[in-house]
């Protein structure tokens, strides 16, 4: 402004320095920092408008201010900042044309007639509205894309977690089923070669052991003994005491015969009360 000494620039520089210092502090939250940067831009735009009039660089700051508001604070704040920019420009235009600023503004290169003010106002308003609209649309698109990506990532994570759980459950069931089948196979193999009552080898396993004993005897030129044993009057035990007691007698006889033999020997139950020993 004309006629103002060093006080005006000093106040401006001091206020500008305070805003810059506060805006760059690390311990301030992002929203307050955004408000400070928007206020700093607006203040600089006011000074530039007052110094250069409608044709000066102040319009750049007024256009940038809503963009900063959208980027740093929110879309709604950007709309409010755009309205403030338009109103500020209109006020400056009216004051430059009819008000006290018409006496203070540097007007050497600035044709401040009504037509120029109207043209500049419409131009700046169009730029502000278009830029803010584009930023808002871009911000919404970015937010929707981010939200969609987060939903997709969450869905994939949930599906992966469910798949992992199902896989663990399936592995556990397979292991349990494999263990059950292994136990059943061992049980079937045991029942195929052993007597179910006494647990001794049955006729099939006895014949196999006998065949091995014969071959070993022929190879080593040695002898072996084959004994057939039955229980006298065992039918009377079943008739007098019942088959349950008869089964206990057979089990006791099998244990007694096994305990009297070596580990390499064979004690088998052929049928009923008939036993064999190799």
């Amino acid at each position: 402004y004309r006629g103002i000494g060093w006080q005006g620039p000093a106040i401006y520089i001091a206020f500008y320095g305070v805003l810059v210092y506060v805006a760059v502090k690390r311990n301030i939250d992002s929203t307050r920092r955004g408000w400070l940067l928007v206020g700093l831009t607006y203040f600089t735009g006011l000074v530039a408008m007052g110094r250069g009039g409608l044709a000066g660089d102040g319009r750049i700051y007024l256009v940038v201010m809503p963009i900063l508001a959208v980027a740093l604070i929110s879309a709604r704040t950007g709309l409010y900042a755009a309205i403030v920019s338009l109103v500020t420009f209109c006020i400056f235009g009216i004051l430059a044309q009819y008000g006290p600023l018409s006496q203070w503004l540097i007007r050497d290169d600035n044709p401040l007639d009504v037509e120029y003010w109207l043209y500049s106002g419409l131009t700046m308003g169009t730029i502000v509205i278009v830029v803010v609209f584009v930023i808002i649309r871009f911000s919404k698109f970015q937010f929707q894309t981010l939200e969609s990506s987060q939903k997709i990532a969450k869905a994939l994570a949930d599906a992966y977690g469910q798949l992992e759980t199902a896989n663990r459950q399936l592995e556990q069931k397979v292991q349990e089923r494999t263990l059950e089948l292994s136990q059943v196979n061992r049980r079937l193999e045991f029942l195929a070669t052993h007597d179910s009552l006494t647990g001794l080898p049955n006729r099939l396993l006895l014949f196999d052991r006998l065949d091995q004993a014969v071959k070993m005897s022929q190879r080593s030129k040695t002898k072996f003994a084959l004994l057939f044993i039955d229980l006298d009057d065992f039918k009377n035990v079943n008739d007098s005491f019942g088959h349950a007691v008869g089964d206990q007698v057979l089990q006791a006889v099998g244990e007694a015969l096994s305990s009297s033999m070596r580990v390499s020997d064979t004690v088998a139950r052929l049928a009923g009360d008939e036993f064999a020993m190799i």
Side-chain angles (χ1 to χ4, degrees), residues 85-96:
S85 297
L86 293 176
V87 172
T88 302
F89 188 81
C90 293
I91 292 175
F92 263 87
I94 295 174
L95 294 179

Side-chain angles (χ1 to χ4, degrees), residues 229-237 249 253 273-274:
I229 303 172
D230 63 353
L231 304 183
D232 294 338
D233 299 325
F234 180 71
K235 184 176 182 302
N236 295 332
V237 175
V249 170
V253 170
D273 61 344
E274 298 177 353

Side-chain angles (χ1 to χ4, degrees), residues 199-219:
L200 297 176
N202 58 11
R203 185 185 301 270
L204 180 63
L205 184 56
L206 175 67
F207 289 161
D208 182 72
R209 298 278 179 87
L210 183 60
D211 183 63
Q212 294 179 9
V214 170
K215 292 179 180 178
M216 185 178 297
S217 174
Q218 293 174 350
R219 182 170 59 251

